[in-house]
Amino acid sequence: TPWWLMLLRLAIAALVIIAVSHPLYAPGHVAAVNREQLLLIVDDSWAAAKNWDMRQTVIAEILANAQRADATVTLATTVPEARPSGLEPEGAAAVAAKASALEPKALDPDRLALLQRLGNASRPRAIWISDGLDHGSAEAFATGLARISSRVEVIVPGLSQLPLALAQPSIEGGRIEITALRAGREIAEATIRAVAANGRELGAAPLKFAQGATSAKATIELPIELRNEVQRIQIAGERNAAANFLFDDRWRRKTVALQSGAASEEAQPLLSPLYYVSRALEPYAELSEPADGAALKQSLDSGLSMLVLADIGVLPSETQSLIEPWIERGGVLLRFAGPRLAGAQDPLIPVALREGGRALGSALSWETPQAMQNFPDASPFAGLAIDSSVKVSRQVLAEPDNDLSEKVWASLADGTPLVTAARKGKGLIVLFHVTANADWSNLPLTGLFVEMLRRVADLAPGAGGGAAAGQAASADAATAFVPRRALNGFGDLTEPLPDTQPISVTEMEKSKASPRHPAGLYRRGAMERAINIAREGEGLVPITNLPANVQLRSLEPLPATPLAPYAFAAATLLFLLDCIAALMLGGGLSRLRMRTAAAALLLLAGLPPPPAIAQAGDDFALRSTLQTHLAYVLTGDAEIDRVSEQGLKGLSQVLLERTSIEPGDPMGVDIEKDEIVFFPLLYWPISPSVPVPSPAALARMDAYMKNGGTIFFDLREDGTGFGELSGNASASAEALRRMLAKLDIPPLEPVPPEHVLTKSFYLLQTFPGRYDQGQLWVEHSDAKGAVTGNADGVSAIIIGANDYAGAWAVDDQGQPLYAVIPGIDRQRELAYRAGINIVMYALTGNYKADQVHVPALLERLGQ
């Protein structure tokens, strides 16, 4: 064989080997990493949450390059931590495992603190993946990195990838005025939503940024009953913690009725028993003054939050019969002393009182007016600063009792009670032992009086009623606000981390989000407080001014061109040249007739083009039927669709390796346009903003499920808000419910222990995905696990909440893209097994539901 022919054949073999390895041409993704120490810095703040998956892709690419170069890597994050991790260099593989578990936090970065921790140790190279916002420290941080590193590369997202955020809203009556902030100018419009605790949208308003403006305002108007249900204000589609503002008791407006024992003609404005009370409560409550018993009954029946009685000694019996059941149901009765109450009392007081009261500092008294002492730790007033100017000259005294100390919320310096309270059923009775005006003390003239009344109002239920006061009374011993729900970087409410610490009452009002006290909801009895990361100022500032010696790169990944089609085409061309050379060397070329040569040329001319230039518009039906494909529904969200494609790609590889199924590449389906009857299983990721399909698409879905097709809906969350698909459901579950309400859906149930899904390929009892908390729901089945309403016994609908595509997703090298949570090693394997069981169930039906001989076989095998 001539040397040139041998070289030609070696080239053909080399091209085939290169082609089957599926090489990619991706210039400019990340500069090559040399065998040197690498400092990788990641902004894991709320501002990075919007395109976090894209950041994880870039991190994985950098660490893959470092692993190939055998470089050591130091991974550092800029958000402060309760227990900071070390900054020692490690192998790239170990760092990759840590980086895959990173998630954005609901905190601002503290870059300068990280720079101080890094010290002055020299590092050859540093790569900083920034969140794109300046935070007042970007230039100083980049300058410090350039001082300790010979080469600094900063990856900055484009202006269109920067997040939106909310400033603190303001409320006037039923109007909620919201201010949104932006850094990039590309986002011109958005929608503001008011959302209840169960994910229900209570109201919405459009938001438009003026040309060149960094802030915009929107107003949502709600009746007081709906406004009190609002748990958060959020920017629709903006998934970060700063785009969510949590409401607590301070934002819920109460309804308060005021009544006084003084005659109206005698009640001068500044002497009126209700003047100072109404001025103190007016900013926080809807006030009314029922004129008679009928008006009071109407107020109580409509869900009154709090009733204030100023110097009324004995209520008429018919009024008592109205108020008592209301208190039992959770209402708060607030009473103030006075000459009438000192003379006689009815049963609706928290403690027994001595008749006549006590005068301090009068001509016939040896005692001087008393000041107040600090509030007890268990009091709702704990944390309020005592006003040293407050003096009490007269009070009603409580009779000594064994449990009197438990009912005292505030005392004078000599230990006598100033405010007492007692529970009654689910409600609360509170008594100020002084008048509501300045007759007996100057307390109503101070700001402390306003804060004390506001704390009492916080204990009252909302406009719709409730048992807040009873809950407060049952938790009187609580001396701190304990974390109830924490806000993560994506803006979702999750369980607090173990490092989260309670916040003392004195620190609560001025607390800001920190590693020990993260953003979220905190509770002390019935009092609820929220810590937000609402932005301040006129807007968000993007990173612009960086030192000239810093190299910038966009976060947007550059397109990667597959080279395999070109390599296969080149190998085919060289193979034809090899054939021609063989004919020449064998003498056969001269014996070919002209017509044979012409036919060969026509044949060559008619060869199909290489895969690289195959037409993209191949008939959809032909591609769908020539080979089994796993299909997913296109949502319109590029990031969700990319995860779905990567997830089904990973599941297809596992099916090919472990089963007899040989699936083709996953196919995306437009539910409004494409025909879906070709696919036995359709994966549908749900997002909170998913629109309800058109009637024509719903009709196709209904026919598809009734004729043997299965749709797998995935809520893509941790499962904690999934519940029973009713009640306290998540936003994704609410979106799915809106869709299913238009379809003829049979009764659903969690997968029973004997269901066919638990044994269609692997023996399973749980079905985890990227998360492991959510249940898998199917149609109601018989005792053998088969669906009786369908001909093939297969559930036409499967609903999960564990983000299965995220667990299955792999990159071009077959490596997992997203960390499983809580990160147990076996969880990803179980997620693959769950996916295999679902596919086998959809393809093979319920034949395993009738394995009558299985118990006997297992017994014979000794199992």
Side-chain angles (χ1 to χ4, degrees):
T1 304
W3 67 269
W4 54 269
L5 185 57
M6 181 65 70
L7 185 62
L8 178 66
R9 292 174 177 172
L10 290 174
I12 294 173
L15 285 171
V16 171
I17 292 171
I18 291 173
V20 297
S21 68
H22 297 286
L24 300 173
Y25 177 64
H29 269 53
V30 174
V33 178
N34 298 323
R35 188 172 183 179
E36 59 189 8
Q37 185 177 347
L38 172 65
L39 174 60
L40 179 59
I41 301 171
V42 179
D43 276 348
D44 55 339
S45 66
W46 61 268
K50 182 174 183 177
N51 35 44
W52 186 254
D53 290 340
M54 191 180 297
R55 296 170 187 277
Q56 284 283 23
T57 301
V58 172
I59 292 172
E61 182 182 358
I62 294 172
L63 295 177
N65 289 344
Q67 190 171 0
R68 283 192 293 269
D70 198 20
T72 58
V73 182
T74 299
L75 177 64
T77 56
T78 57
V79 168
E81 299 174 295
R83 290 181 292 180
S85 54
L87 297 175
E88 296 78 15
E90 299 180 81
V95 173
K98 294 181 180 180
S100 64
L102 285 179
E103 284 197 343
K105 303 175 182 65
L107 292 169
D108 289 326
D110 191 347
R111 296 165 179 156
L112 299 183
L114 173 62
L115 192 63
Q116 188 174 4
R117 289 181 60 208
L118 290 173
N120 297 318
S122 177
R123 293 171 176 84
R125 183 179 180 187
I127 299 178
W128 170 26
I129 305 177
S130 75
D131 60 17
L133 297 183
D134 187 271
H135 297 291
S137 61
E139 184 176 5
F141 184 63
T143 302
L145 287 180
R147 187 178 65 250
I148 62 174
S149 301
S150 57
R151 180 180 180 184
V152 177
E153 181 178 354
V154 181
I155 299 177
V156 182
L159 291 178
S160 63
Q161 298 171 319
L162 296 180
L164 299 178
L166 291 175
Q168 180 165 307
S170 61
I171 291 182
E172 182 177 349
R175 295 166 53 90
I176 307 175
E177 187 174 274
I178 305 105
T179 301
L181 309 174
R182 69 174 180 177
R185 302 296 187 266
E186 284 76 6
I187 302 175
E189 296 182 0
T191 300
I192 301 295
R193 301 171 64 233
V195 182
N198 62 1
R200 187 173 89 259
E201 182 177 303
L202 301 175
L207 182 81
K208 292 186 178 181
F209 288 90
Q211 183 70 29
T214 58
S215 64
K217 294 183 181 294
T219 300
I220 297 178
E221 294 195 28
L222 295 172
I224 185 170
E225 291 81 4
L226 288 181
R227 207 200 80 181
N228 285 342
E229 288 189 50
V230 175
Q231 186 194 59
R232 70 168 76 193
I233 299 293
Q234 63 180 200
I235 304 175
E238 193 70 23
R239 197 158 182 250
N240 73 73
N244 292 262
F245 189 90
L246 300 176
F247 277 23
D248 56 26
D249 294 333
R250 295 169 292 185
W251 297 89
R252 298 184 178 102
R253 198 167 181 87
K254 309 299 174 66
T255 53
V256 179
L258 309 175
Q259 284 195 331
S260 168
S264 58
E265 62 271 13
E266 297 175 0
Q268 298 301 319
L270 295 181
L271 301 178
S272 167
L274 296 176
Y275 178 80
Y276 299 103
V277 175
S278 61
R279 293 301 181 273
L281 291 175
E282 190 174 26
Y284 314 114
E286 297 289 334
L287 304 181
S288 64
E289 295 189 28
D292 51 30
L296 177 61
K297 182 179 186 303
Q298 184 178 359
S299 296
L300 296 175
D301 292 341
S302 63
L304 186 69
S305 302
M306 186 165 73
L307 175 62
V308 180
L309 303 179
D311 192 21
I312 297 180
V314 179
L315 289 165
S317 57
E318 60 273 14
T319 304
Q320 291 186 42
S321 62
L322 291 176
I323 296 176
E324 280 195 74
W326 170 76
I327 299 175
E328 297 278 354
R329 294 193 301 269
V332 173
L333 174 63
L334 174 61
R335 305 191 69 167
F336 286 89
R340 293 175 179 83
L341 188 65
Q345 308 94 35
D346 55 48
L348 295 181
I349 54 174
V351 294
L353 299 177
R354 294 182 180 179
E355 292 186 8
R358 172 197 186 196
L360 303 170
S362 65
L364 301 178
S365 173
W366 291 96
E367 298 174 287
T368 59
Q370 292 286 311
M372 295 176 62
Q373 63 174 260
N374 292 330
F375 298 112
D377 290 338
S379 168
F381 306 140
L384 295 180
I386 296 297
D387 189 336
S388 59
S389 66
V390 172
K391 300 295 180 183
V392 175
S393 60
R394 189 173 177 183
Q395 69 182 132
V396 291
L397 286 174
E399 290 284 359
D401 196 345
N402 291 334
D403 60 349
L404 177 62
S405 60
E406 299 176 2
K407 299 178 180 180
V408 175
W409 282 5
S411 302
L412 297 181
D414 62 359
T416 54
L418 176 64
V419 181
T420 55
R423 75 187 74 176
K424 185 176 180 63
K426 295 181 179 179
L428 200 63
I429 301 176
V430 183
L431 172 64
F432 276 68
H433 291 234
V434 293
T435 56
N437 57 16
D439 287 350
W440 288 13
S441 77
N442 62 347
L443 175 62
L445 307 178
T446 65
L448 178 60
F449 185 69
V450 177
E451 293 301 320
M452 292 174 71
L453 291 190
R454 186 178 181 184
R455 292 284 180 93
V456 176
D458 283 347
L459 301 177
Q471 295 170 11
S474 64
D476 286 339
T479 58
F481 285 88
V482 296
R484 186 172 71 88
R485 300 285 279 171
L487 196 70
N488 66 13
F490 296 112
D492 301 324
L493 285 173
T494 61
E495 291 298 321
L497 294 175
D499 289 333
T500 305
Q501 300 294 318
I503 304 178
S504 66
V505 177
T506 56
E507 297 294 328
M508 186 69 238
E509 298 299 327
K510 54 186 178 182
S511 288
K512 295 184 178 180
S514 67
R516 293 289 185 185
H517 305 133
L521 297 174
Y522 293 76
R523 175 161 288 178
R524 177 177 181 253
M527 299 174 65
E528 187 174 67
R529 292 291 182 266
I531 295 182
N532 289 285
I533 53 171
R535 303 293 87 195
E536 299 177 357
E538 293 299 321
L540 305 176
V541 180
I543 293 178
T544 52
N545 298 321
L546 292 180
N549 58 343
V550 170
Q551 179 182 352
L552 293 178
R553 182 214 138 176
S554 172
L555 182 65
E556 187 70 37
L558 299 177
T561 305
L563 299 180
Y566 298 100
F568 277 123
T572 302
L573 181 61
L574 293 184
F575 175 72
L576 295 176
L577 292 177
D578 180 88
C579 293
I580 295 173
L583 287 173
M584 291 177 59
L585 293 176
L589 187 61
S590 59
R591 295 191 295 272
L592 290 177
R593 299 177 180 179
M594 185 62 67
R595 59 184 181 183
T596 306
L601 290 175
L602 289 175
L603 178 62
L604 291 177
L607 283 176
I613 57 173
Q615 297 298 319
D618 288 346
D619 183 75
F620 182 82
L622 185 62
R623 288 191 295 121
S624 304
T625 53
L626 288 178
Q627 192 175 11
T628 301
H629 296 270
L630 300 182
Y632 61 94
V633 174
L634 297 170
T635 63
D637 188 313
E639 183 60 27
I640 295 177
D641 294 343
R642 183 172 67 86
V643 174
S644 298
E645 181 181 12
Q646 293 169 331
L648 295 188
K649 174 184 173 184
L651 182 58
S652 297
Q653 291 178 359
V654 176
L655 286 167
L656 185 63
E657 295 169 359
R658 305 186 187 183
T659 71
S660 59
I661 304 174
E662 296 183 2
D665 292 335
M667 294 183 64
V669 173
D670 187 339
I671 200 67
E672 297 288 345
K673 300 177 182 177
D674 296 332
E675 185 55 67
I676 60 178
V677 298
F678 306 116
F679 308 104
L681 178 67
L682 203 59
Y683 175 77
W684 195 325
I686 299 296
S687 68
S689 58
V690 62
V692 177
S694 66
L698 289 170
R700 285 201 303 273
M701 291 167 56
D702 191 63
Y704 170 78
M705 291 192 289
K706 289 182 177 178
N707 288 280
T710 299
I711 301 181
F712 179 16
F713 294 101
D714 188 356
L715 301 182
R716 304 183 309 104
E717 58 191 11
D718 61 5
T720 55
F722 185 41
E724 299 286 341
L725 276 179
S726 63
N728 191 20
S730 65
S732 296
E734 286 289 340
L736 178 59
R737 185 189 295 120
R738 292 195 298 270
M739 185 189 306
L740 298 185
K742 306 290 185 180
L743 296 171
D744 183 17
I745 299 300
L748 303 177
E749 64 177 354
V751 175
E754 297 300 323
H755 197 276
V756 179
L757 259 177
T758 65
K759 52 193 174 186
S760 57
F761 193 83
Y762 289 101
L763 295 178
L764 297 175
Q765 287 302 321
T766 60
F767 297 86
R770 189 178 178 203
Y771 306 100
D772 66 349
Q773 296 295 319
Q775 290 179 313
L776 204 64
W777 291 67
V778 294
E779 289 185 38
H780 184 73
S781 58
D782 59 20
K784 295 180 180 180
V787 178
T788 56
N790 295 341
D792 58 357
V794 174
S795 177
I797 180 171
I798 302 174
I799 302 177
N802 282 333
D803 189 9
Y804 291 90
W808 301 332
V810 296
D811 58 17
D812 294 325
Q813 285 75 40
Q815 297 299 315
L817 284 174
Y818 309 109
V820 294
I821 299 171
I824 301 173
D825 294 340
R826 189 166 171 75
Q827 184 176 336
R828 194 181 304 279
E829 170 61 23
L830 291 177
Y832 279 126
R833 294 187 180 188
I836 292 174
N837 273 27
I838 291 170
V839 173
M840 297 298 286
Y841 175 62
L843 291 176
T844 63
N846 71 328
Y847 79 98
K848 286 197 176 184
D850 193 24
Q851 300 180 20
V852 295
H853 300 295
V854 168
L857 292 173
L858 292 177
E859 183 180 358
R860 179 171 296 182
L861 292 172
Q863 300 297 319

